[in-house]
């Protein structure tokens, strides 16, 4: 008996532990959340995927503009009448957002919501000209009064609002990736809508990440990537058409209207908070200003599709030539 047990132990030691891919998809934050990871323990993998989903729920509960109990919603309700204290985490993300505003000359601006909240893309609702102009005048991140000691937010004017929809999903993806990394996962992907971050490669080969055609389901570009974040902003996610004009969810603060020079903006960066904020930013800045910004930055690449369907690349990405096809 003893000998048999010994033989069995030896056998167990000799058989390599079987690792495999685990995947899970859920709908959180109004979008599709996907996690895939490589693991040798099914129950540990299941727990980790749950931890990723829990983190998405946590960010949603904190930063949703739609949930009455979310701190961000409370800021929007009360900050014009009193400074509203928020968690250091939410405060820091507001500060990081304002950094992207500085970087982009105000193209990225979380106070876009002063106007943005007057649109309902599902119901095809938009403000009339007068309300549109009044709300546009309230867009100005520099007017936000932020107290970095008390972590309070104050709006100097009634009607101001903020929304982290251009950065929060990327931030949540970064947090989720950190959870996986801390648990020792070396290969995986976390996606929240148009924002993804890759951990390692796809076991010996790169992850193939497609950029969707903005007017169809096919992919216009497929990119072999590893260990980076990738975000795409498109005008096809939330929009309606009125009088032949497409009204969608990315707002140019200077025009007080949807940005229309490009129809898809993709950013590759080291982290998803950066790629998310910059994809929204470049969508607004358009081809020449947008690429100029990215070409000045380290470790950031861009692929833009303009409203004629032409693809533009940042200087570091060699455009595919006809001879290379
Ligand atoms: P999504 O994955 O939701 O399509 P994007 O990264 O493409 O997100 O960003 C779009 C979101 O960014 C909008 O839904 C809105 O919440 C927010 N947004 C729109 N205009 C601006 C702006 N000028 N500055 C910052 N955020 C914006
Ligand atoms: Mg974005």
């Amino acid at each position: 008996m003893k000998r048999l047990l010994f033989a069995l132990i030896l056998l167990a030691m000799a058989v390599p532990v079987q690792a495999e891919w685990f995947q899970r998809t859920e709908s959180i934050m109004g979008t599709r959340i996907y996690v895939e990871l490589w693991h040798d323990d099914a129950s540990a993998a299941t727990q980790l995927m749950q931890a990723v989903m829990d983190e998405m729920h946590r960010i949603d509960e904190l930063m949703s503009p739609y949930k009455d109990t979310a701190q961000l919603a409370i800021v929007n309700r009360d900050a014009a009448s009193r400074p509203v204290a928020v968690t250091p985490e939410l405060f820091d993300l507001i500060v990081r957002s304002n950094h992207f505003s500085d970087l982009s000359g105000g193209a990225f601006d979380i106070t876009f919501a002063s106007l943005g909240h007057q649109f309902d893309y599902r119901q095809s609702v938009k403000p009339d000209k007068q309300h549109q102009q009044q709300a546009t005048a309230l867009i100005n991140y520099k007017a936000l009064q932020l107290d970095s000691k008390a972590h309070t937010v104050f709006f100097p004017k009634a009607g101001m609002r903020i929304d982290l929809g251009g950065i929060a999903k990327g931030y949540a993806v970064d947090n989720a990736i950190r959870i996986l990394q801390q648990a020792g996962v070396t290969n995986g992907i976390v996606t929240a809508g148009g924002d993804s971050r890759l951990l390692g490669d796809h076991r010996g080969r790169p992850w193939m990440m497609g950029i969707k055609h903005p007017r169809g389901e096919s992919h216009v570009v497929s990119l072999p990537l590893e260990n980076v974040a990738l975000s795409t902003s498109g005008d096809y996610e939330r929009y309606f058409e009125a009088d032949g004009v497409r009204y969608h969810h990315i707002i140019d603060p200077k025009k007080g209207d949807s940005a229309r020079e490009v129809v898809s903006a993709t950013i590759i960066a080291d982290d998803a908070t950066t790629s998310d904020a910059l994809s929204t930013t470049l969508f607004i800045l358009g081809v020449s200003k947008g690429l100029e910004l990215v070409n000045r930055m380290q470790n950031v690449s861009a692929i833009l599709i303009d409203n004629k369907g032409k693809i533009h690349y940042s200087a570091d990405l060699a455009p595919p030539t006809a001879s290379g096809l």
Side-chain angles (χ1 to χ4, degrees):
M1 186 62 196
K2 232 187 195 159
R3 201 177 290 160
L4 179 67
L5 196 66
F6 186 64
L8 277 175
I9 290 172
L10 270 187
L11 193 68
M13 281 164 60
V15 175
V17 190
Q18 285 296 311
E20 57 181 305
W21 289 107
F22 294 86
Q23 298 101 349
R24 192 154 147 193
T25 307
E26 278 190 33
S27 185
I28 308 169
M29 302 198 287
T31 197
R32 175 180 170 270
I33 309 294
Y34 178 72
V35 54
E36 182 178 346
L37 57 91
W38 179 258
H39 214 290
D40 57 16
D41 178 340
S43 85
T46 305
Q47 271 181 24
L48 281 171
M49 293 190 292
Q50 185 57 47
V52 165
M53 297 304 172
D54 290 348
E55 178 61 13
M56 298 293 168
H57 280 296
R58 190 184 71 78
I59 300 292
D60 195 28
E61 297 295 329
L62 182 62
M63 302 185 185
S64 167
Y66 307 112
K67 297 196 162 154
D68 291 346
T69 51
Q71 278 196 1
L72 187 121
I74 295 169
V75 167
N76 282 337
R77 191 190 66 197
D78 292 350
S81 43
R82 63 175 175 95
V84 177
V86 298
T87 58
E89 183 182 20
L90 177 54
F91 192 87
D92 287 350
L93 195 59
I94 293 172
V95 170
R96 276 180 90 178
S97 298
N98 289 353
H99 163 73
F100 288 103
S101 308
D102 285 338
L103 202 66
S104 64
F108 188 89
D109 186 332
I110 58 173
T111 68
F112 85 92
S114 314
L115 171 65
H117 91 279
Q118 298 195 18
F119 287 83
D120 183 336
Y121 301 99
R122 281 196 195 109
Q123 309 288 333
S124 305
V125 171
K126 61 180 171 71
D128 61 34
K129 276 271 165 299
Q130 194 197 345
H131 284 103
Q132 191 169 359
Q133 275 168 9
Q134 282 169 354
T136 303
L138 296 172
I139 305 177
N140 179 10
Y141 71 100
K142 287 183 181 159
L144 283 176
Q145 292 180 15
L146 303 175
D147 181 331
S148 55
K149 288 221 173 65
H151 292 133
T152 57
V153 183
F154 181 67
F155 297 155
K157 288 184 182 154
M160 270 185 90
R161 283 182 186 239
I162 56 171
D163 188 312
L164 295 171
I167 193 169
K169 285 200 279 282
Y171 173 73
V173 166
D174 281 338
N175 285 357
I177 285 287
R178 196 170 319 116
I179 291 170
L180 299 184
Q181 273 174 321
Q182 283 170 354
V185 175
T186 51
N187 303 81
I189 178 171
V190 176
T191 298
D195 305 297
S196 297
R197 183 159 161 190
L198 310 169
L199 198 52
D201 63 3
H202 201 263
R203 303 280 308 158
R205 55 179 86 168
W207 297 88
M208 292 307 294
M209 302 297 291
I211 299 176
K212 232 170 80 178
H213 191 287
R215 298 290 179 265
E217 279 306 308
S218 62
H219 287 161
V220 275
V221 182
S222 244
L223 302 159
L225 297 172
E226 51 193 77
N227 262 324
V228 289
L230 171 115
S231 294
T232 298
S233 294
D235 68 355
Y236 46 88
E237 300 288 347
R238 247 164 289 154
Y239 74 95
F240 63 89
E241 278 175 9
D243 310 321
V245 179
R246 184 178 284 235
Y247 292 92
H248 66 84
H249 67 317
I250 302 177
I251 288 183
D252 181 343
K254 294 217 165 69
K255 293 197 307 181
D257 195 1
S258 303
R260 299 198 181 87
E261 190 191 320
V262 303
V263 295
S264 167
T266 297
I267 295 286
I268 302 164
D270 288 337
D271 66 86
T273 309
T274 302
S275 61
D276 188 7
L278 285 181
S279 70
T280 309
T281 303
L282 261 76
F283 194 103
I284 297 160
L285 286 177
V287 176
S288 85
K289 282 190 190 151
L291 292 182
E292 194 186 304
L293 170 65
V294 161
N295 288 339
R296 275 193 276 125
M297 299 181 78
Q298 291 279 313
N299 294 344
V300 180
S301 312
I303 301 167
L304 305 176
I305 305 177
D306 70 23
N307 57 19
K308 307 274 185 311
K310 185 159 188 258
I311 307 182
H312 304 262
Y313 298 86
S314 54
D316 62 317
L317 296 177
T321 55
S323 59
L325 291 177

